[in-house]
Amino acid sequence: MMTVEKVCAWVESLVHQAGNLGLIASEDTVYCRNQLLLKLGIDDFCPDESQRLDEDIPGILEKISDAAETLGVTGSMTEEKEQLQASLMNVFIPLPSIVNERFYAKYEKDPKEATDYFYNLSRSSNYIQTKRIARNVHYEVESEYGTLDITINLSKPEKDPKEIEKERELKKEASYPLCVLCMENEGYGGRIGHPPRSNHRLIRVPLEGERWYLQYSPYVYYPEHCILLSEEHRDMVIGTQTFQRLLSFVSRFPHYFMGSNADIPIVGGSILSHDHYQGGRYDFALAEAPDDESFPLDAHPDVQASIVQWPMTVLRLRSDNPASLVSASSHILDVWTSYNDPGRKILSHTGETPHNTITPIARRRGRAFEMDLVLRNNRTDEEHPMGIFHPHEDVHHIKKENIGLIEVMGLAVLPKRLAGDLKEVEEYLLGRKETVAEEHQAWAEEMKAAHKPVEDEAEAADIVEKETGRKFLRVLEDAGVFKRTEDGKQGIHALLQTINDTK
């Protein structure tokens, strides 16, 4: 039975945990408790000490927000409860000015100390959804190109059809903030159809004369998965300023990489309407991939250039001089955006519509700067209506969504539907099911023929994981504009010749 006494005990548990995590000092205890009670509409603090919780903050928040429905503070909708949770945690977080002051005081000592502070704050405040992220399926698969990461995204909460319909009815037409990446989300309470950001803070990071902001992804896909966003709500564009900003950032935060999704549909990311980049503190398989062969850049003698041993087409540039890297990267982009190779289905334009662009990734290697330029093309045809250089139909049962920056680097973000589907395939290998979902049936039969008999559940899971990794590798190969064949090698050499012939 839900009682006010029980909720008061949970409030006290939340305050206690905030203190343990260093979000507040002991002098803040009474103030924070009273602010929480105010938000919950509770006038009298009367905790039942037997109901105190020894849980982490996400668990306590879930109990309090469920109780809030009984108390009449919120409705039953998931989004209403999320708004309350963010609002409760905002009680414990300093104003943006104070967060930035602390960040840069630590930055003066060590950039890693500054990002550690901000990352821990974002986790402790429940802005980064640690409990939900823990639900994700994640494993690694070895390949000829290194260790690929496989993630099945289970972090977003399930909603039943009635709740989804109610959301549609209650969703408000509003233009503030314009999108989920706008800096105006900092501290925004949320509404139906737009996530709450009461517990959200941004670090001010000026770049190349513009105002940019650093935050972490609420649903991090890898360690310290961060987002760098423009103050101006404008379309993403890959150009000289992109390379300048990426290198400027990694010069100031050398322990992070920073990259950008491409700027056109199909090969771009999910949000092309707001200029932003993604980075973090993680070495993806692409970062570890060796050079396949070196090539000269005649106009940039102080830049080392190579083709990377990777299923997609990647040109890697290195130099101690970031200005030279910007110049070389811009030159390659200029050539590529107008480059045509009809025999290999590469056309730069259809009328005025562009097809060629680049996914760039910047990092530091000691004193040197490194820029990976991943060549992209978003053409479609009758055979491949979703994209010629996009996952082809035979791998759509595993991945048919856009191949953005994260996938390019070697991390497969797979849809939630696969969690159950792949378990069924495991059961099929073990002889416990006669069929699986139609889209997986042929694949499952191939596995069973190649691996019979399958002795136990661990073996079945291992087979499915490895074969899923092979499918993801195929996805990356499909997305490569020059295939890793003799013909593809001739094609990329022709492009490199054009780059050197063009001044």
Side-chain angles (χ1 to χ4, degrees):
M1 178 180 172
M2 189 60 60
T3 64
V4 171
E5 291 79 8
K6 184 182 288 188
V7 178
C8 286
W10 295 348
V11 165
E12 197 69 353
S13 301
L14 185 60
V15 173
H16 178 72
Q17 286 290 54
N20 286 345
L21 292 172
L23 288 174
I24 59 172
S26 59
E27 295 88 343
D28 302 321
T29 299
V30 172
Y31 169 84
C32 290
R33 174 202 299 150
N34 287 337
Q35 290 298 303
L36 297 177
L37 294 176
L38 176 64
K39 291 177 181 296
L40 294 169
I42 297 174
D43 299 321
D44 185 19
F45 182 63
C46 47
D48 178 352
E49 291 299 326
S50 69
Q51 298 297 319
R52 288 281 292 269
L53 298 170
D54 186 21
E55 290 189 31
D56 57 15
I57 281 178
I60 299 172
L61 285 173
E62 284 185 3
K63 284 186 168 61
I64 292 177
S65 60
D66 285 342
E69 180 186 347
T70 304
L71 296 172
V73 176
T74 70
S76 60
M77 295 177 62
T78 301
E79 293 193 358
E80 294 174 292
K81 294 179 180 181
E82 289 177 338
Q83 289 170 16
L84 176 64
Q85 291 179 17
S87 177
L88 294 177
M89 289 310 300
N90 188 45
V91 168
F92 304 111
I93 311 172
L95 291 170
S97 59
I98 298 173
V99 172
N100 277 263
E101 181 182 347
R102 292 175 182 175
F103 179 90
Y104 279 107
K106 295 177 185 297
Y107 179 89
E108 290 301 315
K109 301 176 185 176
D110 183 355
K112 290 181 183 177
E113 187 176 334
T115 54
D116 284 348
Y117 157 72
F118 187 44
Y119 188 58
N120 289 331
L121 176 67
S122 300
R123 286 169 55 89
S124 300
S125 64
N126 203 47
Y127 175 72
I128 295 177
Q129 298 283 322
T130 54
K131 186 172 183 178
R132 292 181 181 173
I133 293 163
R135 300 171 188 162
N136 290 345
V137 175
H138 180 264
Y139 56 87
E140 297 177 343
V141 176
E142 294 303 319
S143 79
E144 61 186 288
Y145 299 100
T147 304
L148 302 177
D149 292 286
I150 309 295
T151 293
I152 300 177
N153 184 7
L154 302 176
S155 53
K156 292 193 176 180
E158 295 281 0
K159 298 177 182 179
D160 62 44
K162 288 184 178 179
E163 184 171 2
I164 293 171
E165 182 59 33
K166 190 175 181 181
E167 282 182 6
R168 290 197 188 105
E169 294 172 1
L170 296 177
K171 186 175 180 179
K172 297 177 182 178
E173 292 300 326
S175 59
Y176 180 88
L178 283 173
C179 77
V180 294
L181 289 179
C182 285
M183 66 83 54
E184 287 82 7
N185 284 281
E186 187 175 44
Y188 184 67
R191 61 178 184 267
I192 303 303
H194 192 101
R197 293 290 184 257
S198 300
N199 55 340
H200 179 38
R201 300 294 184 267
L202 294 164
I203 299 299
R204 278 64 181 162
V205 184
L207 288 176
E208 302 299 310
E210 290 188 337
R211 293 173 179 169
W212 284 69
Y213 300 84
L214 179 69
Q215 68 173 65
Y216 290 101
S217 169
Y219 297 101
V220 293
Y221 289 126
Y222 52 85
E224 298 181 50
H225 177 186
C226 62
I227 299 171
L228 190 62
L229 56 97
S230 167
E231 179 174 82
E232 182 183 352
H233 180 81
R234 65 190 183 208
D235 290 347
M236 290 187 66
V237 175
I238 302 298
T240 298
Q241 286 189 313
T242 307
F243 306 130
Q244 291 172 332
R245 295 183 198 115
L246 296 179
L247 291 169
S248 176
F249 182 86
V250 298
S251 70
R252 296 164 65 180
F253 298 92
H255 57 299
Y256 276 9
F257 78 87
M258 188 58 66
S260 176
N261 276 304
D263 55 350
I264 56 178
I266 296 178
V267 297
S270 57
I271 301 177
L272 297 180
S273 60
H274 195 114
D275 208 0
H276 71 285
Y277 312 130
Q278 295 183 77
R281 193 174 177 179
Y282 187 63
D283 290 327
F284 288 92
L286 174 57
E288 301 296 317
D291 295 347
D292 214 5
E293 61 175 296
S294 299
F295 63 90
L297 281 176
D298 296 344
H300 306 279
D302 61 339
V303 175
Q304 296 177 325
S306 63
I307 303 168
V308 180
Q309 188 175 316
W310 191 246
M312 296 181 71
T313 306
V314 184
L315 305 182
R316 179 168 290 165
L317 310 183
R318 298 185 187 91
S319 178
D320 290 347
N321 185 346
S324 294
L325 271 189
V326 170
S327 179
S329 299
S330 298
H331 178 59
I332 291 172
L333 176 64
D334 287 344
V335 172
W336 175 243
T337 52
S338 59
Y339 189 77
N340 294 289
D341 186 344
R344 297 178 178 89
K345 299 188 177 183
I346 297 169
L347 298 178
S348 66
H349 290 79
T350 299
E352 297 297 316
T353 303
H355 296 306
N356 289 353
T357 188
I358 279 175
T359 298
I361 304 138
R363 64 181 75 88
R364 294 289 297 273
R365 299 287 191 191
R367 292 180 56 187
F369 293 82
E370 190 170 270
M371 182 77 78
D372 283 351
L373 305 175
V374 188
L375 305 186
R376 313 300 302 274
N377 177 285
N378 78 342
R379 280 192 67 224
T380 62
D381 62 12
E382 289 185 7
E383 184 183 2
H384 302 295
M386 294 186 68
I388 298 169
F389 304 103
H390 181 81
H392 291 173
E393 190 173 358
D394 61 318
V395 296
H396 283 181
H397 66 109
I398 296 296
K399 177 75 171 177
K400 64 180 178 181
E401 296 79 11
N402 288 8
I403 304 307
L405 173 68
I406 294 174
E407 285 88 2
V408 163
M409 295 185 293
L411 191 161
V413 181
L414 302 180
K416 181 181 294 188
R417 62 182 170 83
L418 284 180
D421 288 0
L422 297 183
K423 285 294 181 186
E424 286 191 355
V425 174
E426 292 174 21
E427 293 290 298
Y428 178 81
L429 295 182
L430 291 164
R432 298 173 183 172
K433 289 185 69 70
E434 293 185 2
T435 61
V436 297
E438 183 179 354
E439 62 266 29
H440 301 301
Q441 186 64 44
W443 181 53
E445 289 172 3
E446 289 174 8
M447 275 189 276
K448 195 164 189 175
H451 296 281
K452 60 182 180 183
V454 178
E455 300 291 344
D456 55 43
E457 293 178 355
E459 183 185 2
D462 183 61
I463 291 169
V464 172
E465 287 181 1
K466 288 178 179 176
E467 294 298 328
T468 302
R470 287 182 60 189
K471 284 285 184 178
F472 177 55
L473 180 55
R474 269 285 321 286
V475 162
L476 296 180
E477 290 170 344
D478 287 346
V481 292
F482 294 107
K483 307 307 180 186
R484 292 186 61 79
T485 61
E486 188 58 37
D487 178 73
K489 188 174 183 179
Q490 292 173 10
I492 195 169
H493 284 172
L495 169 65
L496 298 178
Q497 186 63 53
T498 303
I499 288 171
N500 279 322
D501 289 345
T502 307
K503 306 299 181 184

